Amino acid sequence: MKAISYAGYGGPETLVYGEVRDPRIGPDAVLVKVRAAAVNPVDWKAREGYLDGMLDAVFPVIPGWDVSGVVVQLGVSVPEYAVGDEVIGYVREDFLSRGTFAEYVAAPVRTLARKPRNLTWEEAAGLPLTGLTAYQVLTGALRVRRGETVLVHAAAGGVGSIAVQLARHLGARVIGTASEANHDFVRSLGGEPVTNGDGLAERVRGLAPEGVDAAFDTVGGETLKVSADLLVPDGRLASIADGDVVGYGGRYCWVRPDAGDLTRLAELAEQGVVSVHVSKTFPLEQAAQAHRLSEEGRTRGKIVVTVDWAEEADAAKDADAAKDADAAKGAEGAEAAEEAGGDGA
């Protein structure tokens, strides 16, 4: 199959498009024909080697953990799905090797859910990692409740934009940091935008004089410190970007695959509670450009790579047309023979 891979750690220039070995599926997995795969900051951080102390890399590594696609083969112990089912997945294993930037991916069923019917392939691919991160932090680490005020950082980004929508659904008031260019976008999600940077604490207190009940840090560093200072007594703090959050009495969170959580997110997407904004798409072979754009850190919503199955679809149409033509010829021949037989009778 065709895929993007890298043979060693390095920059986006290490990403190569070409043939790799077809994936094998285990008993509890399915083979997914990839339609789209989202780009996440963790993808290029893994490529750079920043996760080497956490995850073994089995080179060549195919990057990517998010996917939307179609089930084409079942493991021997998979009653949950059937061939032809449309699925989404956060297909992260405990090592780097078999990612989603490929024509096919072997996906354990614990990483999958059914694709929301109202989302495009590209939108659906952008939901798993960001959606699960936001959902698990808000409902688990922060335990957001109705009537509370929640501060969400990078509210126009992949995780932040989903977090704003989910927190609003939970009944919270949401203040979201974003560049001025993204303020209207944050408002459209239901949040109250404030600009990050110097003076952030004063701007947030201008909206919430008593402070915030919970803060969701996606940036780290000084932003984390300011978030801690803005909490009301007994306020909750969580970060996905900076382990120093523990020193402020908060929780450091790392998203985990969870079929139940992902199914709930898919349901919320179908209900219109959660939407996914795709800012840019690239064909699979241009994944290096997608990584470069992600590394700039200024993306609104999601960047997605797509697999073009147009040639296969055209071939299938040609095959169907040929079958129809053969069937028509056969019918014409039978009709002619019947007429000839009738004349002779």
Side-chain angles (χ1 to χ4, degrees):
M1 69 173 182
K2 292 287 179 58
I4 295 292
S5 64
Y6 54 95
Y9 295 133
E13 70 279 357
T14 62
L15 297 175
V16 177
Y17 177 71
E19 291 286 340
V20 301
R21 181 176 65 83
D22 290 342
R24 297 175 182 173
I25 60 170
D28 303 324
V30 301
L31 186 65
V32 176
K33 179 180 177 179
V34 177
R35 296 299 303 268
V39 180
N40 294 289
V42 72
D43 296 328
W44 57 262
K45 291 176 182 178
R47 188 205 69 224
E48 294 276 2
Y50 296 143
L51 304 186
D52 191 56
M54 180 185 297
L55 301 174
D56 285 330
V58 182
F59 295 107
V61 171
I62 299 173
W65 286 338
D66 275 340
V67 70
S68 66
V70 181
V71 174
V72 294
Q73 186 179 344
L74 304 175
V76 295
S77 182
V78 179
E80 296 93 334
Y81 294 101
V83 171
D85 284 348
E86 297 180 352
V87 296
I88 57 174
Y90 171 46
V91 190
R92 175 175 65 76
E93 299 181 279
D94 292 330
F95 58 94
L96 299 173
S97 186
R98 307 184 302 176
T100 58
F101 282 29
E103 292 181 324
Y104 296 93
V105 63
V109 294
R110 65 181 175 83
T111 68
L112 298 176
R114 298 185 186 278
K115 173 185 170 291
R117 290 167 292 185
N118 58 323
L119 298 190
T120 65
W121 292 113
E122 294 82 1
E123 292 167 339
L127 181 62
L129 184 150
T130 55
L132 285 171
T133 301
Y135 184 83
Q136 291 172 4
V137 170
L138 291 172
T139 63
L142 293 179
R143 307 181 309 282
V144 171
R145 296 182 290 270
R146 182 171 298 278
E148 293 188 321
T149 298
V150 179
L151 176 62
V152 174
H153 289 288
V159 173
S161 61
I162 301 294
V164 171
Q165 297 172 78
L166 287 175
R168 291 290 294 144
H169 177 66
L170 292 170
R173 176 193 183 194
V174 181
I175 298 171
T177 66
S179 66
E180 289 190 14
N182 283 319
H183 280 197
D184 285 344
F185 177 62
V186 173
R187 288 190 188 96
S188 74
L189 301 175
E192 301 172 45
V194 293
T195 304
N196 206 347
D198 293 341
L200 173 62
E202 290 74 17
R203 288 189 289 275
V204 172
R205 289 200 180 277
L207 295 174
E210 296 181 0
V212 299
D213 299 287
F216 186 170
D217 170 54
T218 62
V219 180
E222 182 63 21
T223 299
L224 174 63
K225 180 181 183 300
V226 172
S227 299
D229 292 340
L230 285 168
L231 293 176
V232 300
D234 298 323
R236 288 96 63 200
L237 176 65
S239 177
I240 60 171
D242 194 333
D244 288 346
V245 65
V246 176
Y248 295 101
R251 283 184 56 182
Y252 181 64
C253 301
W254 181 272
V255 61
R256 63 188 301 177
D258 188 299
D261 288 350
L262 190 55
T263 296
R264 178 58 180 149
L265 281 167
E267 293 170 350
L268 291 173
E270 288 198 343
Q271 294 166 13
V273 172
V274 172
S275 62
V276 179
H277 178 81
V278 177
S279 63
K280 183 76 173 177
T281 62
F282 294 87
L284 179 63
E285 57 269 27
Q286 294 179 16
Q289 292 178 236
H291 270 218
R292 289 187 180 96
L293 182 59
S294 176
E295 289 182 55
E296 292 178 5
R298 295 192 296 271
T299 302
R300 176 188 294 182
K302 297 299 298 177
I303 302 167
V304 176
V305 298
T306 60
V307 178
D308 184 7
W309 293 101
E311 291 184 8
E312 179 183 279
D314 290 342
K317 288 179 182 177
D318 292 343
D320 289 341
K323 288 179 182 178
D324 291 342
D326 289 342
K329 288 179 182 178
E332 289 173 3
E335 192 175 303
E338 184 178 335
E339 290 178 356
D343 290 342

